């Protein structure tokens, strides 16, 4: 008996953290309810996100690069144009810089209303008329910072 009393006095029964915080037994169901709501909310948030590629970005730069290669049919000219348009707009058809629109960053309002392939065609015609080739347009851009 003496050992049992000694153990009780020296080493009182440890209570868990939950039982210490809960207080009365009626408070425990409320805490469980809160935790269950939090778990359900966390799962809902994690599972409700749309991770598809279409939701992340609306344009695909690799498709525009392929389109440029098909249109120009010259690797050197195509890579010059790809470098130029990547520097200008990151091949984003919705890019805007002041009054300059689209992939080629032209001042035409037409570029803000059409899709990326028509913007690329417009830019190719512009570069051919103004500079004579895509590589000359890229060289002008590297020297002056605009084309």
């Amino acid at each position: 008996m003496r050992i049992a009393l000694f153990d009780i006095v020296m080493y009182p029964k440890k209570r868990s953290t939950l039982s210490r915080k809960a207080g009365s037994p009626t408070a425990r169901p409320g805490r469980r309810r809160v935790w269950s709501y939090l778990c359900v909310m966390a799962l809902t948030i994690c599972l409700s996100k749309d991770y598809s590629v279409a939701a992340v970005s609306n344009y695909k730069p690799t498709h525009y690069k392929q389109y440029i290669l098909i249109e120009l049919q010259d690797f050197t000219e195509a890579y010059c144009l790809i470098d130029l348009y990547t520097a200008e707009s990151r091949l984003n058809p919705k890019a805007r810089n002041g009054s300059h629109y689209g992939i080629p960053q032209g001042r035409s309002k037409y570029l803000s209303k059409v899709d990326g392939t028509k913007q690329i065609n417009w830019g190719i015609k512009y570069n051919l008329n103004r500079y004579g080739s895509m590589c000359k347009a890229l060289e002008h851009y590297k020297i002056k910072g605009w084309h």
Side-chain angles (χ1 to χ4, degrees):
M1 192 76 157
R2 188 176 196 192
I3 295 172
L5 266 176
F6 179 76
D7 288 339
I8 293 172
V9 172
M10 294 301 289
Y11 305 106
K13 183 179 176 185
K14 291 187 179 182
R15 295 182 348 198
S16 69
T17 307
L18 283 177
S19 64
R20 247 183 280 148
K21 289 181 180 175
S24 67
T26 57
R28 287 188 199 137
R31 180 168 290 124
R32 287 184 189 136
R33 193 175 309 121
V34 169
W35 276 106
S36 63
Y37 284 140
L38 288 175
C39 290
V40 168
M41 285 177 28
L43 284 173
T44 304
I45 289 170
C46 290
L47 298 177
S48 66
K49 287 188 180 181
D50 187 12
Y51 292 103
S52 65
V53 175
V56 173
S57 65
N58 210 6
Y59 73 100
K60 297 161 188 71
T62 53
H63 291 214
Y64 294 128
K65 289 177 185 178
Q66 291 170 352
Y67 183 77
I68 290 170
L69 284 167
I70 291 168
E71 282 296 307
L72 292 178
Q73 296 180 353
D74 181 13
F75 286 117
T76 309
E77 292 289 313
Y79 286 120
C80 287
L81 188 64
I82 288 170
D83 288 345
L84 177 65
Y85 286 169
T86 301
E88 282 281 336
S89 65
R90 302 275 187 242
L91 292 168
N92 184 355
K94 297 194 183 291
R96 184 169 181 216
N97 185 7
S99 62
H100 298 84
Y101 303 97
I103 294 173
Q105 290 292 290
R107 286 192 76 164
S108 175
K109 280 273 196 184
Y110 166 78
L111 294 173
S112 65
K113 299 173 185 165
V114 297
D115 65 335
T117 56
K118 291 181 182 175
Q119 291 177 5
I120 291 170
N121 288 337
W122 184 93
I124 289 171
K125 289 177 188 174
Y126 173 81
N127 288 333
L128 287 175
N129 287 334
R130 182 164 176 124
Y131 303 104
S133 75
M134 307 306 138
C135 290
K136 288 181 183 175
L138 179 63
E139 287 302 315
H140 182 270
Y141 176 80
K142 287 180 179 178
I143 293 169
K144 303 274 185 173
W146 57 273
H147 82 285

